[in-house]
Amino acid sequence: MDIRVAKTKKSIINAFLALRSKKAIEKITVKELCEAAEINKSTFYSHFQDIYDLSEFLETQTSNEVIASIQHPEYLFSKPDLFIHELFQAYADQERIIRLLFSGSRKNMLLIQIENSLKETIFSIRPDYKENITANVLFTLSIYGGFYAFEKCRHFGDDSVIDALAEINQKIMELLKQTS
């Protein structure tokens, strides 16, 4: 990629993140973003279709970084407690950007993307789980329930909550093994 193009894209992203830290995505206009990035509207549109396209690009990038930092997705089956520790460490590593991008009307997009990516990975390892209703429900419960439980119970301390989630996830996987 041309260095000027890369710098322009970085400027757009930085301006968006600065604006997003102050207001909801619905309140950000292309005009104010271009002013903040010191670019023309046509330059913005050569990179992104609209503000939501830019946000989705950054959301996908962040979700991919969370997934990529999970070194052992196969641990979900063999060591589910360690899998939960990896998943929540991945969330913690991206916490600032997650809170910024995935707020307001975009709040659920993180978990949707994480669930889809993890299920794709899981089903590549265990294709027999793809059409297994119990497996799908348990995976979704682990991903959504774990995230929301973590957020709601952080006052107990991150490590304590992650340990509790790891123990619960261990039991969930034992249940899955019993039903398969």
Side-chain angles (χ1 to χ4, degrees):
M1 179 185 291
D2 182 325
I3 195 161
R4 292 171 296 167
V5 173
K7 285 177 84 174
T8 299
K9 196 168 189 176
K10 185 174 181 168
S11 177
I12 292 168
I13 290 168
N14 289 340
F16 175 76
L17 293 174
L19 290 168
R20 190 71 174 89
S21 71
K22 296 175 186 152
K23 56 172 74 176
I25 190 171
E26 296 84 5
K27 303 284 185 188
I28 299 172
T29 66
V30 171
K31 180 182 179 198
E32 78 178 313
L33 179 100
C34 290
E35 288 171 2
E38 299 178 347
I39 60 167
N40 295 319
K41 280 176 136 182
S42 61
T43 302
F44 172 83
Y45 287 117
S46 69
H47 292 278
F48 301 101
Q49 295 176 3
D50 56 24
I51 294 292
Y52 292 96
D53 184 41
L54 168 56
S55 186
E56 288 171 14
F57 169 79
L58 293 171
E59 291 166 8
T60 299
Q61 186 177 38
T62 301
S63 297
N64 289 343
E65 288 176 21
V66 167
I67 296 298
S69 65
I70 298 172
Q71 306 248 336
H72 302 284
E74 73 280 3
Y75 280 3
L76 179 63
F77 308 108
S78 60
K79 301 173 184 174
D81 54 329
L82 295 179
F83 173 81
I84 287 296
H85 281 278
E86 280 193 11
L87 177 61
F88 281 92
Q89 184 60 53
Y91 285 143
D93 291 346
Q94 299 292 325
E95 185 171 13
R96 186 189 70 74
I97 193 84
I98 285 171
R99 290 202 182 283
L100 190 64
L101 291 174
F102 298 99
S103 62
S105 65
R106 308 302 295 173
K107 188 169 186 119
N108 292 330
M109 296 310 298
L110 173 69
L111 296 179
I112 290 168
Q113 290 184 12
I114 297 293
E115 178 188 29
N116 290 340
S117 293
L118 279 177
K119 279 187 173 180
E120 187 178 311
T121 301
I122 289 164
F123 296 148
S124 72
I125 297 167
R126 291 291 306 264
D128 55 311
Y129 284 168
K130 188 170 187 167
E131 299 302 321
N132 181 316
I133 188 168
T134 303
N136 277 272
V137 168
L138 291 174
F139 297 152
T140 299
L141 179 65
S142 291
I143 294 162
Y144 284 82
F147 185 83
Y148 288 118
F150 178 75
E151 289 295 310
K152 292 285 186 181
C153 298
R154 284 185 100 169
H155 62 279
F156 291 110
D158 289 2
D159 291 338
S160 296
V161 177
I162 291 169
D163 288 344
L165 288 169
E167 184 179 329
I168 292 165
N169 206 53
Q170 179 80 34
K171 291 177 180 170
I172 287 173
M173 289 305 119
E174 288 170 10
L175 177 63
L176 178 59
K177 289 175 186 174
Q178 292 171 7
T179 62
S180 295

